[in-house]
Amino acid sequence: DIYFHKYKNDFNNFFNFTSITLKKFNGIVFDSILNDLRNDNKNKPKIDEIKKKLNIWISLYSYFNKNENEENMASKIPELLEKCRKVANNDGEHHSNDPKEFAFMAGQIIYFLLDKNESANKTHALLEPFFQKTSVDQLRRAIENTFNAHKHAIDFGKGRFERLAKEVLAYDDDINLKDLQPMLLAGYFAEPVIYEKKKDKLSNE
């Protein structure tokens, strides 16, 4: 894996590379990213460190995951972004029970909502409360509360946000979000499909 070789030296700074379980791997990278989120500020942004660790997390997840039937997480990202784009643009896509799709789309929705925050000190630290949710119900409630706080800044009748939000808020499978935290982050930091066509005007059409 290209990321394995590129980041192995950095990865070894976290722990002994040869004696780690998937649970420990997830916990260590999660804690490191969470610490970066908490300390992200405009004077000392942590975005590069977060993205670097996210690349490590996604790229090496399958290395520690012993489930041979599970699709490689890194190869899944382009597929998830394309699915998200099709749903947002109403291109024949519909509700799916895929947990990875849910987490990725939730990340896109969270980015959009936090982008509407009018705080003068807006940073990625705002993502922390969402990142720590462990159940779908908790995450949905957090998204709904954030929407209610910023709905005055969101144009209605321009579909992309509404279509993605509908997919996310309709998801009701009982899953443990801890296993999907990398996908939530991937959706958050990926190209925001809601803004794709007219980025200069932040279009939501």
Side-chain angles (χ1 to χ4, degrees), residues 27-204:
I28 291 170
V29 184
F30 170 85
D31 287 343
S32 183
I33 291 176
L34 183 60
N35 184 63
D36 285 339
L37 287 173
R38 287 172 173 168
N39 291 286
D40 185 48
N41 61 73
K42 291 189 175 181
N43 294 325
K44 193 176 180 180
K46 295 288 186 177
I47 183 65
D48 288 340
E49 288 92 338
I50 293 171
K51 286 186 175 181
K52 188 175 186 179
K53 291 167 186 175
L54 177 59
N55 276 331
I56 292 172
W57 201 355
I58 291 174
S59 300
L60 297 182
Y61 188 93
S62 60
Y63 178 85
F64 296 104
N65 186 9
K66 305 306 179 184
N67 183 0
E68 296 181 356
N69 295 322
E70 185 168 332
E71 186 175 2
N72 182 281
M73 192 176 284
S75 65
K76 184 78 173 174
I77 300 298
E79 177 186 329
L80 291 173
L81 184 60
E82 183 59 24
K83 173 64 180 289
C84 196
R85 182 177 291 116
K86 288 181 177 180
V87 170
N89 291 320
N90 199 25
D91 191 15
E93 295 291 340
H94 51 80
H95 180 68
S96 169
N97 287 324
D98 186 336
K100 293 184 178 67
E101 290 181 10
F102 163 75
F104 191 89
M105 289 184 189
Q108 290 267 308
I109 288 296
I110 292 166
Y111 177 87
F112 176 81
L113 291 174
L114 294 185
D115 189 48
K116 298 300 181 182
N117 188 297
E118 297 173 350
S119 170
N121 192 33
K122 181 169 62 178
T123 70
H124 294 295
L126 294 170
L127 174 61
E128 180 192 343
F130 300 94
F131 187 48
Q132 295 195 75
K133 302 305 181 190
T134 59
S135 75
V136 171
D137 188 55
Q138 290 175 351
L139 184 60
R140 277 203 317 257
R141 287 203 304 268
I143 290 172
E144 288 169 355
N145 290 339
T146 305
F147 168 75
N148 288 332
H150 303 302
K151 60 185 178 183
H152 63 279
I154 300 173
D155 292 334
F156 287 91
K158 293 192 175 181
R160 278 192 231 154
F161 165 74
E162 293 170 15
R163 284 189 285 269
L164 286 179
K166 180 179 178 182
E167 292 293 312
V168 170
L169 297 178
Y171 191 88
D172 61 359
D173 279 9
D174 185 18
I175 57 175
N176 188 340
L177 286 181
K178 285 187 176 181
D179 296 332
L180 296 168
Q181 286 161 338
M183 288 303 179
L184 181 71
L185 279 181
Y188 179 86
F189 286 111
E191 180 75 16
V193 299
I194 296 173
Y195 292 159
E196 270 188 339
K197 288 188 178 179
K198 298 179 181 177
K199 295 178 188 175
D200 57 326
K201 296 182 179 180
L202 299 184
S203 173
N204 181 33

